[in-house]
Structure formats: structure tokens, C-alpha cells
Amino acid sequence: MRQIALLAGLAYWTGAARDVITDDAHFYGQSPPVYPSPEMVGGNEWEAAFQKAKALVSQMTLEEKVNLTAGVAADSTCSGTIPAVKRLNFPGMCLSDAGNGLRNTDFVSGFPSGIHVGASWSKDLAFRRGAAMGGEFKKKGVNVLLGPVVGPAWRTVRGGRNWEGISVDPWLSGVLVSQTVSGIQGQGVITSTKHYIGNEQETNRMPEGNTSSVSSNIDDKTMHEVYLWPFQDAVRAGSGNIMCSYQRVNNSYGCANSKTLNGLLKTELGFQGFVVSDWGAQHAGVATAEAGLDVAMPGASEFWGNHLVEAVKNGSLPESRVTDMATRVIATWYQFSQDTSFPKPGVGMPSNVLDPHEIVDGRDPAAAPVLLNGAIEGHVLVKNTKNTLPLKSPRMLSLFGYSAKTPDFFNPSSNLLFSQTWISGMEALDSNYVSDNGLPTFGKNGTMFGACGSGAITPALTISPFEALKIRASQEGTAVFNDFVSDKPSVEPSSDACIVFGNAWACEGYDRPAIRDDYTDSLIKSVADQCSKTIVVFHNAGPRLVDGFVDHPNVTAIIFAHLPGQESGPALVSLLFGDTSPSGKLPYTVAKNESDYGDVLDPAQPEGEFVNFPQADFHEGVYLDYRYFDKKGIEPRYEFGFGLGYTTFAYSNISINYIQGANTYPWPGGPIVSGGQTDLWDAIATVSVDIQNTGSVAGAEVAQLYIGIPGAPAKQLRGFEKPFLQPNESQSVTFHLTRRDLSVWSVERQKWQLQQGTYKFYVGSSSRRLPLNGTMDL
Ligand SMILES: *[C@@H]1O[C@H](CO)[C@@H](O)[C@H](O)[C@H]1NC(C)=O
Ligand SMILES: *[C@@H]1O[C@H](CO)[C@@H](O)[C@H](O)[C@H]1NC(C)=O
Ligand SMILES: *[C@@H]1O[C@H](CO)[C@@H](O)[C@H](O)[C@H]1NC(C)=O
Ligand SMILES: *[C@@H]1O[C@H](CO)[C@@H](O)[C@H](O)[C@H]1NC(C)=O
Ligand SMILES: *[C@@H]1O[C@H](CO)[C@@H](O)[C@H](O)[C@H]1NC(C)=O
Ligand SMILES: *[C@@H]1O[C@H](CO)[C@@H](O)[C@H](O)[C@H]1NC(C)=O
Ligand SMILES: *[C@@H]1O[C@H](CO)[C@@H](O)[C@H](O)[C@H]1NC(C)=O
Ligand SMILES: *[C@@H]1O[C@H](CO)[C@@H](O)[C@H](O)[C@H]1NC(C)=O
Ligand SMILES: *[C@@H]1O[C@H](CO)[C@@H](O)[C@H](O)[C@H]1NC(C)=O
Ligand SMILES: *[C@@H]1O[C@H](CO)[C@@H](O)[C@H](O)[C@H]1NC(C)=O
């Protein structure tokens, strides 16, 4: 197969047509052909919208239908626009970035990023954040929110976009993406769950010169159990749109791969909405239409438009495919009642916010608690010794580090990479973490409450940790000393505690340069040498190693603050002063050393005979993160699922129960609806435990269930609940297990299979603190 790839390269150099190299599903023979593209069939919750769409589309000419399949230039800052068909009163649609809040316009909020949602382990907050974002997108006339993200699935530890997603664990991502989709779409805004699929590194994500984009080579079992899993949850939750990705899967482009689009998505998962290309991810004409792409973005498609009309007229593409593309677009619009109750597309997205324009304030005061609590619950406290936290009316606090305060200035002229509109007088944040030469820096100029690229946020207001701390200090009578500039600051000896604020930066378009940096480690050590209670706070867009300083006896507290959004400062202050007890848990593993992550630390690079066709072989299979650490017996620094609070919890009374009358035949037999076979979600068993707050303050605990399925990794997350308990209070929590939760993917039968044998169950406060266990035989 590799030989064939090399031949294709030669064909390209000798000037073969572009379609030859991109029509690679056939060419390489690695991604099995799945044709024709399944037509939308409606049914169940999609039936009414499907019937209305069929009626409308039947009145359209071929040209009108083709027009719906690609973007047009528009007088707005929408990321993409599907044109109107005025004759039939279809007003068109506005699609905009992204999954952490509406970007690139005025009067919007900045929500916690995906990684922060993952770290909160809160289904309720994930739903309410989705609802609040959906409300803002709707007021601004954005029909399609370009998120949420479950690809990357965090395979590459240095991956530049992992933070836009939720977790390295597919089960956790699946539960929280499902809540997010339901929250957003409940407001009548369509989600574009992305990037489908295998979009696991930024390096070589797009073709460049004579180098093709990287190919994620994923075996069928791993595809189902890891990468497809959260997309399945999103489709089941009703996600109306899926965005196909830049890179290739088994050498066929994400937006031209008939196996992933026609096969997995539209057949196996029964997806009824439309597939949109990532911006510029279309590289062929008829081939992408046949492979299942429905809409090409952003601008007039170089490959479709008149070419698609011609392809139908000359018989190379059946008109039914174009009709299906248009039907999927229009049905999705009806499905969310955008025909009756939606603002004018792009109404709140002026092309230039500096010109006079009608102000559409997207924000809803009712979302304030969601912004604050969402920010609070995604902070993870991993170390707290010498009674450092919570702070108790300190006499003097000393603050250090470049991530404490909002940047003093923003230089739009250096912003070459991501054409972010700079809104004068507002605190927008995007590419100020990219230096003039375009190389990522560690973000030495300001607090990192979001990260950069299309998942960045541009809130109307943000409160930095420094600003919030000063206000609290004035209430507590605390003196505040700060030095945010020196790399070896001197510490005022009367400080009761010191806080060092660092970043672990990431951006779309790059993989992270490193997962620790000497500058910040040395700053932390230099403060700790002089301050007996040194609190380290990282705004981190992914794992950040701490072994450079964690054993320093004066580093007495460490908080992963992740990417909290606009309420970064108030959230941190609430935790530092003990108004709330930390309740976040790591949605990834923090290793002691880079090498502990194995081969997936770094992105795949073009090399050897594949220099023009970079290959990323996902040979580790399902063994990512804690599954890999378990398998290899590697001791992590802080394990997946770990996080401290200001109180303690005791676990007792595990009980494992079959559901009376549950069908435990190994194979599902149900019909396919959105999300797959209906009986994959049948309840098979429940696990209950009692949790008691044994400490002295109120707090929430994330109780986690891991299962060792026969023949699968030693343990995999299959349940979590987050009860809030007063001191001494106890509560029984129940985890509900479905057929899919207890199955493994059978490559032979192409179905999920319940296993025979002994299932092992573990319940506790992290993936390695599991006081309760039990078994169940199937
Ligand atoms: C990719 O190739 C592997 C190995 O042949 C196969 O198991 C898998 O189904 C293929 N997936 C796609 C999407 O082509
Ligand atoms: C298709 O879209 C173009 C650009 O918006 C427009 O000029 C043209 O009239 C449209 N064609 C039809 C048949 O609606
Ligand atoms: C890629 O193309 C450039 C210029 O077209 C050429 O100099 C270079 O040798 C090519 N690289 C490879 C690996 O073929
Ligand atoms: C039909 O039209 C398409 C799109 O322009 C073109 O790529 C293809 O070569 C044409 N086929 C024939 C047989 O003319
Ligand atoms: C940080 O800001 C200073 C000015 O205060 C500027 O000279 C420097 O280039 C900035 N650094 C980065 C990495 O943007
Ligand atoms: C810890 O901080 C104190 C100052 O409070 C300092 O005297 C001491 O040397 C520090 N310890 C270490 C190991 O640096
Ligand atoms: C840490 O990892 C680096 C490579 O990432 C390796 O060179 C080094 O030996 C490792 N150190 C230890 C102590 O394992
Ligand atoms: C565990 O179960 C026993 C017996 O039912 C009960 O008395 C006890 O309160 C339970 N423990 C907790 C923490 O609820
Ligand atoms: C918790 O229970 C213990 C023992 O019953 C009791 O001494 C203590 O006062 C209780 N604490 C609270 C906050 O109710
Ligand atoms: C299961 O729990 C029992 C009782 O706490 C403990 O002795 C045993 O080591 C645990 N087994 C595993 C596999 O964790």
C-alpha cells in the first residue's frame, strides 16, 4: 500500500490532474469504497422536516439546488453563508465560529473552552453552557454554530486543538458533547459537530506544495471505540450538521472519504443532517459529491457551482445526489424551526464593527451564573499542602507571572495569521499569543482565558485574575504586591503567600511547541526559593508537566486553571478564598515526563519515502492516556480523573444490578435511527454507591465508574455523577449502563458485541483511587 502511495506522488509531480491525486479513495485502495451516498430518509424525529424539505426542494431548479451546496460572499462577518433562494422565501443561512462562544463580533460572551467543560465533569453545566451559547448565536442571526469539537480526540499529546475538545476519554467526551448539542439546539441553533474524523494533529493538516496532508490510518475497531464514539453521541443527540476534516483518513481526504461519510456516518449512524467541509477542505468535484459531502465552504466552490450543474447534465453525477444535498440542508433548517422563528441570517454580524451599525446585543444576563460556575468548576486543584488553600484573610499576597493580567495593548498589525477583527475599546483575545514571526510563543503578554484560532473567544468584557484579586484583597484588607515582568523577581518577605501565573499555550494551525517550558519553571522556582507558600496557577490548553518544580517544598499548591473564559478572575478568587470548594477533575493524564506518553507525544512528521505523503499510523489502537499508562504500568504524576477539593469524601456500599428482563444476547438487532441501532442504548445494568462528605465544608464530588470489559483495556470510564454534599451528608448515586457501554466493536460482524465472561467494576474519585470494586458475569 505504501508503494502505491509513492507512485501517486510521482503522478502528481509529472503534472497529473488534481483529481487524480485527490480521488484517492479509489486510488490507494486503503479506504474501502462505499457508494452510492445514502439519501436522507427522514423517519422519527426528522420526518416532518424531511417532508417539508422535499416539498420545497421539488420546486427548485438544478441551479438553485446547486447554489445551496456552497458558500457565497456576504456583507457580514459570518464565517460562511449559504445563499438565499429568494423566489421560494428561503433566506439563506449564516454559519459562524465556534464552540466556545460567538467570535469576531461585538456584544457577546466568552464561555469556558471545551477542555474546561471536560475538567468540570458536569453534565448540567455542559447543557446550560450550550443553551446560553445557543441563545447568543440565535440573537445574532447565526443559524449554524461551528462546534462543538470532539475531533481532535486528543490522540497527539502536543495537539494544537485538543483544548477545543473535551477530553482524551471518548466516553466523557460523548456524554458532555451530547449535553452540549442538546443545549445549543434547544435554542433553535444547529450544531456543526467537528472535525470528522481523525483530525489529530495540526502539523501537515493541509496539503502544501508537493506534500499532501497527513493521513490518519485508523483500524476499524479503534475507529469505533475511540474516534467515532463521541460523534455517535452527538448524532444521537440530534446534531444537525457534521463538519468533515482537513486531513486524510487511510489516505483519502476527510471530505472525500466515502467510507467515513457514506459508510460510518450516513449508514451506520443514520445521520440525517448535512455534511459541511471544513473551510477549504474540499479538493475535488464529483468525487466529493459522491463520497457524501453536501456543502463546501467558505466561498464559491472551485469544484462545484457550474461544474456540478455540468456534471449532472453530462451524466457524471445523478441529479438525485444534488437533490439529496439540497434536501439535507433545507430539512435541517426546518428541523430547528428556522423557517418560523429565526432572526435574519447574520443580523448581528456587521462586516465592520467600527462602522455605524444596528447593535444586536447577544448576551443574556441570565447566563451570568453559567459563565461563572462554568469557569469555577473547570479549575482543577492537584496539590495543596501546608494548609495553603483556601486563603484566610492574608496580610500580604504577592503575584507573579505573565498570565495574571490582561495585556496592556494589542497590536493588530502583528496579527497576520487569523485576521481577527480588533474591536477598539474591547478586550478581545486571539492571536496576541502569536509573535510577529508567526511562531508560537508561550504567551508572555497576558492572561490566557481562551486560546487561539477559530475556537478563540472575543467577549465584550473579561475580568483577569489580577483585577479580581485586587477587588477581593480590598475587601479582606490584604496588601497586594506584584511583579509581572521580572524573570527572577524578589519576593517581599512579609508575603503570606505567593501566586505565580503561567500559561501553556496552544493555537489552531500549530501543534504545541512543548508541554513545559524552562522560562516558567524557572520563574516558579525562583519565587518558591523565597516564599514558603507558593501557589502555581496555569492557564493550560492541554497537559502541562510539573516535575520541574513539584517537589520544591515551598510549592504548596498547584491549580490547572485551563481556559475559563471571561469570568477567569472571579472564578479563581472564589476558589482561592474558599467561597467554593474546587470540584474539577483532570480530563487527561499529567505524566512525570514527556517520554511517559510514548509515541503519541508528538505529531507525525513527513519522513523517509513518505515525505510527500505523511502517514500517521494509529498503531497504539485504543491505548491512549490512562489506558496506555495502565497497560505499560507507568506511574503518572496526576492521573486521569484526579482533583482535590477542600473537603473529603468516603465511598461505600457498591451494588451491581442487572436490569430485570434486559436482553443480553451478544448482538444488537434494532433498526438504525440517528446515532445507530436503537437497542445500543438499552439499559443492561446499574451500579450504585453511597458517597458521604466526611470533611468540614460543602463541596461537589465527581464519582467515577471504570469497567474492565473482558478482552478490553483493564479499565475504561463508563460512568460519572457529581453530587453536591453538605458536611456529613451522604447520597446514593447510580450509574446506568447501556448495551454499547458494555460492548466491544466486532470487526467481523460490524456490530457492537456484548462479551461473555466476568466484567470488573471500580468506583472512586479518580482513575487510580478506586476504593470500591465488584464483578458481574455475562
Ligand atoms: C482503514 O484501514 C483499516 C485497515 O485496513 C481498516 O480497518 C479501516 O476500516 C479503514 N477505515 C477507513 C475509514 O477507511
Ligand atoms: C446562484 O447564486 C448566485 C450567487 O449568489 C446568483 O447570482 C444566482 O442568481 C443564483 N442562481 C440561481 C438560479 O438562483
Ligand atoms: C518539493 O518541491 C520542491 C519545489 O517544487 C522541490 O524542490 C523539492 O525537491 C520537492 N520535495 C520533494 C521531497 O520532492
Ligand atoms: C462532465 O462534467 C464534469 C464537471 O465539469 C467534468 O469533470 C467531466 O469531465 C465531464 N464528463 C464528461 C464525460 O464530459
Ligand atoms: C510583549 O509586550 C512587549 C511590550 O510590552 C513587547 O515588546 C513584546 O514583543 C511582547 N511579546 C510578545 C511575545 O508578544
Ligand atoms: C522556602 O521559603 C523560605 C522563605 O519563606 C526560604 O527561607 C526557604 O529557603 C525556602 N525553601 C527552599 C527549599 O527554597
Ligand atoms: C524525559 O523525556 C525525555 C524525552 O521527552 C527524555 O529524553 C528523558 O530521558 C526523560 N527523562 C527521564 C528522567 O525519563
Ligand atoms: C451503607 O449501607 C448501610 C446499610 O444499608 C447504611 O446503614 C449506611 O448508611 C450506608 N452508608 C452510607 C454512607 O450511606
Ligand atoms: C458530622 O457528624 C459528626 C459525628 O456524628 C458530628 O460530630 C459533627 O458535628 C457533624 N458535623 C456537621 C457539620 O454536621
Ligand atoms: C477490591 O476491593 C477489595 C476490598 O476493598 C480490595 O481488597 C481489593 O484489593 C480490590 N480489588 C481490586 C482489583 O482493586
Side-chain angles (χ1 to χ4, degrees):
M1 280 188 285
R2 291 290 159 84
Q3 281 310 113
I4 297 172
L6 200 62
L7 288 175
L10 289 169
Y12 186 56
W13 301 332
T14 54
R18 214 163 160 183
D19 264 344
V20 173
I21 190 170
T22 51
D23 186 13
D24 41 15
H26 313 283
F27 197 88
Y28 297 108
Q30 289 190 22
S31 203
V34 181
Y35 298 102
S37 189
E39 287 183 13
M40 181 180 188
V41 294
N44 302 303
E45 67 275 19
W46 281 87
E47 186 60 23
F50 176 54
Q51 293 304 337
K52 285 189 223 169
K54 270 208 302 197
L56 190 71
V57 171
S58 70
Q59 300 171 56
M60 291 183 187
T61 64
L62 174 61
E63 286 77 6
E64 283 169 338
K65 287 184 279 192
V66 164
N67 259 10
L68 295 178
T69 67
V72 283
D75 185 25
S76 73
T77 48
C78 297
S79 309
T81 300
I82 292 178
V85 183
K86 295 221 173 73
R87 185 176 73 82
L88 298 169
N89 295 323
F90 172 69
M93 290 161 91
C94 163
L95 297 76
S96 264
D97 290 334
N100 307 315
L102 183 54
R103 183 176 75 123
N104 227 348
T105 191
D106 55 0
F107 298 101
V108 289
S109 305
F111 290 86
S113 291
I115 186 175
H116 213 79
V117 176
S120 78
W121 295 64
S122 171
K123 297 174 207 178
D124 174 58
L125 276 173
F127 178 86
R128 292 197 287 134
R129 169 182 176 272
M133 286 198 302
E136 293 198 6
F137 278 68
K138 180 171 180 179
K139 279 195 208 154
K140 303 289 264 185
V142 180
N143 304 70
V144 181
L145 177 156
L146 297 173
V149 171
V150 287
W154 297 48
R155 172 181 189 259
T156 305
V157 177
R158 292 209 283 109
R161 296 188 82 174
N162 292 356
W163 59 276
E164 295 184 54
I166 294 165
S167 170
V168 71
D169 184 84
W171 201 91
L172 178 57
S173 292
V175 169
L176 296 179
V177 80
S178 170
Q179 295 292 329
T180 304
V181 166
S182 301
I184 294 166
Q185 294 195 154
Q187 302 298 310
V189 169
I190 299 161
T191 53
S192 179
T193 306
K194 67 189 188 182
H195 307 84
Y196 187 79
I197 193 171
N199 190 157
E200 299 300 325
Q201 63 178 58
E202 294 301 281
T203 305
N204 289 110
R205 65 177 181 161
M206 303 210 207
E208 218 179 296
N210 47 17
T211 301
S212 185
S213 63
V214 66
S215 175
S216 296
N217 302 327
I218 313 176
D219 69 85
D220 188 48
K221 183 176 162 68
T222 303
M223 174 63 93
H224 282 84
E225 295 184 6
V226 178
Y227 299 94
L228 188 62
W229 183 288
F231 280 104
Q232 180 167 24
D233 286 305
V235 172
R236 181 172 153 79
S239 187
N241 181 240
I242 296 286
M243 185 191 293
C244 53
S245 55
Y246 285 124
Q247 96 302 336
R248 301 174 298 153
V249 181
N250 287 7
N251 284 300
S252 174
Y253 275 112
C255 295
N257 190 311
S258 66
K259 169 70 179 171
T260 59
L261 298 176
N262 290 341
L264 300 177
L265 182 64
K266 290 183 173 177
T267 305
E268 193 181 312
L269 303 189
F271 175 64
Q272 296 298 302
F274 65 103
V275 174
V276 69
S277 75
D278 202 341
W279 272 221
Q282 186 190 34
H283 301 284
V286 170
T288 57
E290 287 178 329
L293 178 67
D294 299 307
V295 173
M297 278 288 164
S301 166
E302 160 189 1
F303 303 98
W304 286 356
N306 292 338
H307 300 296
L308 208 52
V309 174
E310 192 186 320
V312 169
K313 290 193 170 152
N314 76 13
S316 17
L317 184 74
E319 181 164 359
S320 57
R321 177 74 264 268
V322 176
T323 304
D324 181 53
M325 294 167 162
T327 306
R328 285 173 176 272
V329 171
I330 299 292
T332 309
W333 178 70
Y334 278 126
Q335 175 74 354
F336 296 95
S337 304
Q338 295 187 347
D339 57 321
T340 57
S341 60
F342 212 83
K344 186 166 160 274
V347 65
M349 308 292 290
S351 59
N352 185 348
V353 292
L354 300 179
D355 289 344
H357 62 282
E358 183 200 343
I359 299 294
V360 179
D361 195 333
R363 297 167 302 165
D364 178 356
V370 180
L371 287 158
L372 180 59
N373 292 328
I376 289 173
E377 294 198 27
H379 284 72
V380 182
L381 174 69
V382 292
K383 180 172 184 183
N384 187 15
T385 57
K386 292 196 211 162
N387 290 317
T388 299
L389 293 176
L391 298 170
K392 295 153 207 90
S393 297
R395 192 178 48 193
M396 177 178 247
L397 269 183
S398 294
L399 311 178
F400 306 95
Y402 50 86
S403 197
K405 66 192 267 279
T406 311
D408 289 334
F409 75 100
F410 181 87
N411 178 5
S413 66
S414 72
N415 184 2
L416 302 173
L417 286 164
F418 300 104
S419 64
Q420 166 70 46
T421 308
W422 170 243
I423 301 164
S424 167
M426 301 174 71
E427 294 176 334
L429 169 129
D430 193 349
S431 308
N432 49 334
Y433 300 108
V434 178
S435 63
D436 287 353
N437 62 9
L439 292 172
T441 69
F442 288 102
K444 299 221 168 66
N445 271 326
T447 190
M448 197 170 91
F449 52 85
C452 118
S454 51
I457 47 177
T458 52
L461 174 85
T462 175
I463 304 171
S464 72
F466 182 43
E467 287 160 336
L469 274 164
K470 278 202 291 189
I471 290 169
R472 183 58 174 254
S474 90
Q475 292 158 358
E476 303 267 344
T478 299
V480 174
F481 170 88
N482 70 74
D483 175 354
F484 299 131
V485 180
S486 316
D487 51 1
K488 290 198 169 30
S490 43
V491 175
E492 178 66 45
S494 45
S495 303
D496 295 310
C498 301
I499 311 180
V500 186
F501 292 89
N503 280 345
W505 178 92
C507 193
E508 177 178 357
Y510 305 95
D511 290 309
R512 292 171 61 198
I515 55 175
R516 64 172 140 197
D517 72 283
D518 291 341
Y519 175 88
T520 312
D521 280 10
S522 129
L523 174 69
I524 291 165
K525 281 185 286 194
S526 124
V527 171
D529 284 347
Q530 310 163 64
C531 187
S532 61
K533 287 185 176 178
T534 301
I535 301 160
V536 175
V537 175
F538 281 117
H539 294 108
N540 57 311
R544 201 303 183 181
L545 303 191
V546 297
D547 272 55
F549 55 83
V550 70
D551 290 331
H552 194 299
N554 288 351
V555 172
T556 55
I558 302 176
I559 295 174
F560 289 112
H562 296 119
L563 304 171
Q566 68 175 61
E567 297 299 317
S568 172
L572 184 70
V573 162
S574 167
L575 293 164
L576 289 175
F577 286 85
D579 303 345
T580 50
S581 175
S583 65
K585 304 266 187 172
L586 295 174
Y588 52 82
T589 295
V590 179
K592 291 181 174 166
N593 187 24
E594 286 88 345
S595 57
D596 292 341
Y597 289 111
D599 294 347
V600 295
L601 172 67
D602 300 320
Q605 299 288 347
E607 59 183 345
E609 61 186 311
F610 305 112
V611 67
N612 296 113
F613 290 87
Q615 304 287 314
D617 292 332
F618 289 23
H619 53 74
E620 71 290 339
V622 302
Y623 291 92
L624 293 175
D625 201 77
Y626 69 89
R627 292 166 174 81
Y628 175 80
F629 281 68
D630 281 354
K631 184 181 177 193
K632 293 278 180 176
I634 300 167
E635 191 69 34
R637 171 55 59 194
Y638 299 119
E639 73 272 17
F640 178 88
F642 175 67
L644 301 168
Y646 298 148
T647 185
T648 50
F649 298 92
Y651 287 75
S652 58
N653 295 344
I654 186 167
S655 103
I656 300 166
N657 303 295
Y658 299 97
I659 300 289
Q660 281 297 319
N663 175 1
T664 55
Y665 181 69
W667 308 103
I672 289 174
V673 297
S674 293
Q677 286 189 277
T678 48
D679 47 350
L680 289 176
W681 279 269
D682 283 358
I684 303 284
T686 61
V687 177
S688 300
V689 300
D690 290 332
I691 302 164
Q692 183 172 21
N693 183 343
T694 50
S696 54
V697 299
E701 167 71 335
V702 180
Q704 301 160 41
L705 167 69
Y706 294 83
I707 303 186
I709 300 172
K715 54 183 190 282
Q716 305 194 77
L717 183 74
R718 284 293 184 270
F720 67 89
E721 293 296 330
K722 192 173 185 182
F724 181 87
L725 300 173
Q726 296 297 328
N728 280 357
E729 187 185 352
S730 72
Q731 194 174 309
S732 176
V733 301
T734 301
F735 310 102
H736 299 269
L737 297 164
T738 65
R739 172 180 283 276
R740 188 183 63 148
D741 292 334
L742 298 172
S743 294
V744 300
W745 179 254
S746 163
V747 173
E748 295 71 36
R749 292 282 286 264
Q750 289 290 298
K751 279 182 190 296
W752 290 97
Q753 180 181 17
L754 276 181
Q755 300 296 288
Q756 282 177 345
T758 301
Y759 284 70
K760 295 180 181 152
F761 290 75
Y762 309 90
V763 177
S765 61
S766 82
S767 62
R768 291 200 167 209
R769 288 156 220 239
L770 297 161
L772 303 180
N773 64 60
T775 61
M776 181 179 86
D777 290 323
L778 271 189

